[in-house]
Amino acid sequence: MSMLGDFSALFKSQPTSRTAAPTLDAKLLLVGIALVGFGLLMVYSASIALADGPRYANYGRYYFVIRHTAFVTIGLVGALFVASVPMQVWRKLALPIFIISLLLLLLVLIPGVGRTVNGARRWLPLGPINFQPSELMKVAMILFVAYYIERKQAYMGTFLRGLAPIVLSLGVVAGLIIMEPDLGAVIVIVAIAIGLLFIGGMNKKYITGLIVLMCALFLMMVWVSPWRVQRFLVYLDPWNPDNAYGSAYQLSHSLIALGRGEWFGVGIGSSVEKLHYLPEAHTDFIVAVIGEELGFFGVALLILAFVFVVHRAFQIAHQAIANERLFSALVAHGVGIWFAIQTFINIGVCFGLLPTKGLTLPLVSYGGTGVVMNLAAFAMLLRVDFENRSMMVGRRV
């Protein structure tokens, strides 16, 4: 079947019978569309007042929502392409995509090439947009680890031929991203890799040792960075006046926003905290604005939507395993782990359950490369499901 024909088949729904079945998970698709659409609405609400302040005075009131709409559009076009490509093709491209991502991570660290914002060098300027290689690496890591596990199944219980190569690769990636620095991205990427290795049958002793090693390295990175130590300490006591007006300023205003929302919120567009009190309200702390405007029930529905997406990802992965498609199953697992970990960290930070860390909410927060990669991963999940359904009815993929 041609790629174009494969793409069109993905969006055909046929009545269920012994020989035909729906080719698309309509519920999963609708929830994904709802999250993206809701994100557009909340980015608009959270950013509309930014132009009234001195920092964004020259941007215009609709600057962020227009850019977010543009990135969502790019992401949707990219998602249509990703969904049209068979998983066997993605398997062949796994290693090249990983190598390209590594080179981009190196490129962003070169002075004069990578763009620096607030002391962090994480972006490659591409005309009017900035490309963030660490976001691409999240997708690349899923594909690479899935490819590695499939090829090394016979050695997953060994150290030299099983654990060592993947740990070395993961260490190089983590080292490059730490140099940006972007500890949040490192945590997500490491979690994806370890999660897939565990699911893929890696020796449990090695997994435990790897987790202990990563935790030790994480604590060491926090300890040797005074500003990270300060961020960790203030999250334990955000209402101390010295903290509330200093390093815990974001957290304290996030908690104020959530408290103002109570059960049903103050109404869409009526947030007070977004009016220059809560920094990054349209990106890392968008959940605080959602909580203020839509209340507990709004946040609860948002969490349920992500629970559904992650649950379906693992169901799709289970079906792929039943169809003896290990690579596809691991990719679906990887997408589920990514969305689960990043959503948990983002919401946990807004609720004060975790130290402040700059991670966006997948599919919802304002962000260029991030939302494009989120949509690409979501499309890959739909592709795995499409191939599962096709195999179940004997349809060629």
Side-chain angles (χ1 to χ4, degrees), residues 163 167 194 197 205-215:
L163 180 67
V167 169
I194 293 178
L197 289 171
K205 292 181 180 178
Y206 295 154
I207 290 291
T208 302
L210 187 57
I211 292 173
V212 171
L213 175 63
M214 292 300 172
C215 289

Side-chain angles (χ1 to χ4, degrees), residues 101-353:
S101 300
L102 269 179
L103 293 175
L104 291 175
L105 287 176
L106 278 169
L107 193 62
V108 80
L109 295 174
I110 298 175
V113 177
R115 181 169 181 259
T116 302
V117 178
N118 296 328
R121 189 182 291 122
R122 303 174 185 172
W123 300 269
L124 291 173
L126 302 175
I129 65 173
N130 293 309
F131 179 77
Q132 191 170 357
S134 60
E135 293 294 334
L136 174 61
M137 180 52 77
K138 293 174 184 176
V139 176
M141 184 59 72
I142 291 173
L143 294 173
F144 174 68
V145 177
Y147 171 78
Y148 180 86
I149 292 172
E150 186 188 46
R151 285 184 54 111
K152 297 281 188 176
Q153 269 293 286
Y155 306 106
M156 292 303 288
T158 67
F159 179 79
L160 288 178
R161 302 188 68 176
L163 180 67
I166 195 68
V167 169
L168 179 62
S169 302
L170 186 59
V172 171
V173 171
L176 289 174
I177 299 177
I178 284 294
M179 292 172 67
E180 294 183 357
D182 190 353
L183 187 57
V186 172
I187 292 171
V188 173
I189 289 170
V190 168
I192 290 170
I194 293 178
L196 288 180
L197 289 171
F198 176 77
I199 293 168
M202 179 65 73
N203 186 301
K204 292 181 176 59
K205 292 181 180 178
Y206 295 154
I207 290 291
T208 302
L210 187 57
I211 292 173
V212 171
L213 175 63
M214 292 300 172
C215 289
L217 291 174
F218 171 78
L219 291 174
M220 185 181 70
M221 285 186 291
V222 171
W223 183 256
V224 300
S225 302
W227 61 274
R228 287 194 178 114
V229 173
Q230 180 68 14
R231 181 176 288 185
F232 180 80
L233 293 177
V234 299
Y235 122 88
L236 298 174
D237 187 16
W239 300 117
N240 183 305
D242 293 334
N243 296 336
Y245 292 100
S247 299
Y249 181 83
Q250 264 184 313
L251 175 56
S252 61
H253 280 277
S254 175
L255 295 174
I256 291 170
L258 292 166
R260 288 192 74 248
E262 298 184 352
W263 289 101
F264 299 103
V266 298
I268 291 287
S270 299
S271 166
V272 171
E273 285 299 318
K274 71 184 182 185
L275 304 177
H276 311 291
Y277 295 104
L278 176 62
E280 309 300 334
H282 58 307
T283 55
D284 305 345
F285 282 83
I286 198 166
V287 170
V289 177
I290 293 171
E292 186 178 3
E293 297 190 346
L294 298 177
F296 170 83
F297 284 102
V299 175
L301 286 175
L302 178 69
I303 293 173
L304 286 175
F306 278 106
V307 169
F308 174 79
V309 170
V310 173
H311 178 65
R312 282 297 298 136
F314 279 82
Q315 284 185 323
I316 290 168
H318 180 76
Q319 186 59 54
I321 291 173
N323 292 335
E324 298 182 350
R325 299 170 70 87
L326 180 59
F327 176 78
S328 297
L330 290 169
V331 169
H333 274 128
V335 174
I337 293 169
W338 175 9
F339 281 19
I341 291 294
Q342 190 157 325
T343 299
F344 173 75
I345 293 175
N346 178 272
I347 295 177
V349 166
C350 291
F351 283 14
L353 301 176

